[in-house]
Amino acid sequence: MKTQIIASAFALASTAASAHDVARTLPAAADAVAPALAAYATEDLFGSVWTDETLSIRDRALVTFAALVTRHEADTLGRHTELALDAGVTPAELSETITHLAFYTGWGNATAAAEAMAPVYDARGVTAEDLPALAPDLLPLDEEAEAAREKAVQSNFANVSPGVVDATRELLFHDLWLRPALAPRDRSLVTVAALITAGQPEQMTFHLNRAMDNGLTQEEAGAMLSHLAFYAGWPKVFSAMPVARQVFESRAD
């Protein structure tokens, strides 16, 4: 019952999320030290990008959270944890996001995020019962897609590192990706956001296709790229755009 009450409260809060709420993530020091930076943030990032309805404010909060975890920006994660919760992302979903990103961005990034999030969870009364189960009933495995993925990985890398190949199968695709606390579309969303932010576009083809198979639209993917230009930087987004174009074109054939 407590979990339902908390989830309902966050859902109600999300209806009031606005550019004003997002502006709270900008530290006062920005205006004092770099007023032009503060102006770009207020007018362009918060006033235009965040209010573009092509991607919901909930998705934008989740994408931003994933980018900050990937960049190890633990000092800003507290404010963005609050924003994500207010935008409708549940405590369980954020918890599952950092668990997922541990495998895609490294353990240190995930544990630093946990430390930054803990005071927010404590202040909001989030307890263990509001978090994902350790051993839940897993979502069904898409056996055809998994067989194709496994065949490709085995043929390319089985003789390079059997340990990586086996752990990828057993830990990631037969376990982590099937955990129900984060919907497949959201899991793909944060994975693609992390790959773009980390500057790893060579990994995007598989995961962007998977994201779109999981329900992410081309328009939403394009909006994610424009959003991440601010949080990951223009060069990383421009490195990712040719891959996105190839994926879009291949799916249009």
Side-chain angles (χ1 to χ4, degrees):
M1 178 62 72
K2 180 172 180 288
T3 302
Q4 293 176 338
I5 292 172
I6 289 178
S8 297
F10 290 143
L12 288 172
S14 71
T15 62
S18 65
H20 172 75
D21 299 312
V22 179
R24 293 179 300 167
T25 64
L26 185 71
D31 191 54
V33 174
L37 170 64
Y40 280 124
T42 301
E43 296 171 16
D44 299 295
L45 178 56
F46 305 149
S48 179
V49 173
W50 274 89
T51 57
D52 177 4
E53 295 181 356
T54 308
L55 198 64
S56 72
I57 195 166
R58 176 196 175 276
D59 285 349
R60 291 184 185 280
L62 193 56
V63 165
T64 307
F65 181 86
L68 297 178
V69 172
T70 303
R71 289 173 57 86
H72 204 87
E73 294 186 20
D75 56 331
T76 64
L77 269 173
R79 292 190 294 272
H80 281 277
T81 297
E82 292 179 335
L83 175 64
L85 293 172
D86 290 342
V89 185
T90 68
E93 289 170 333
L94 285 183
S95 171
E96 194 71 16
T97 294
I98 65 168
T99 300
H100 183 87
L101 290 178
F103 290 86
Y104 284 90
T105 73
W107 237 246
N109 287 338
T111 55
E115 287 191 307
M117 294 162 65
V120 177
Y121 275 26
D122 182 62
R124 296 194 177 210
V126 178
T127 65
E129 69 182 61
D130 305 308
L131 303 180
L134 291 178
D137 292 333
L138 299 178
L139 299 174
L141 179 68
D142 183 337
E143 295 186 2
E144 182 178 353
E146 172 56 13
R149 185 208 62 79
E150 177 69 9
K151 181 179 180 181
V153 173
Q154 284 281 358
S155 64
N156 285 316
F157 305 117
N159 294 329
V160 178
S161 178
V164 171
V165 171
D166 292 345
T168 299
R169 178 183 61 252
E170 299 302 326
L171 290 180
L172 271 67
F173 289 98
H174 288 194
D175 188 352
L176 181 72
W177 275 90
L178 303 179
R179 288 175 57 83
L182 195 62
R185 177 187 175 279
D186 290 342
R187 203 173 283 277
S188 285
L189 187 72
V190 299
T191 304
V192 175
L195 294 175
I196 294 169
T197 302
Q200 296 175 316
E202 67 278 3
Q203 298 291 319
M204 269 183 61
T205 301
F206 172 82
H207 283 289
L208 182 54
N209 269 302
R210 188 182 182 98
M212 296 179 77
D213 289 343
N214 285 333
L216 187 72
T217 68
Q218 180 174 325
E219 292 73 22
E220 289 171 334
M224 175 173 60
L225 284 162
S226 61
H227 186 97
L228 285 173
F230 287 85
Y231 289 95
W234 255 252
K236 288 179 178 175
V237 166
F238 263 95
S239 293
M241 286 207 293
V243 180
R245 182 186 62 198
Q246 291 169 3
V247 170
F248 298 160
E249 290 175 351
S250 72
R251 296 178 71 93
D253 293 339

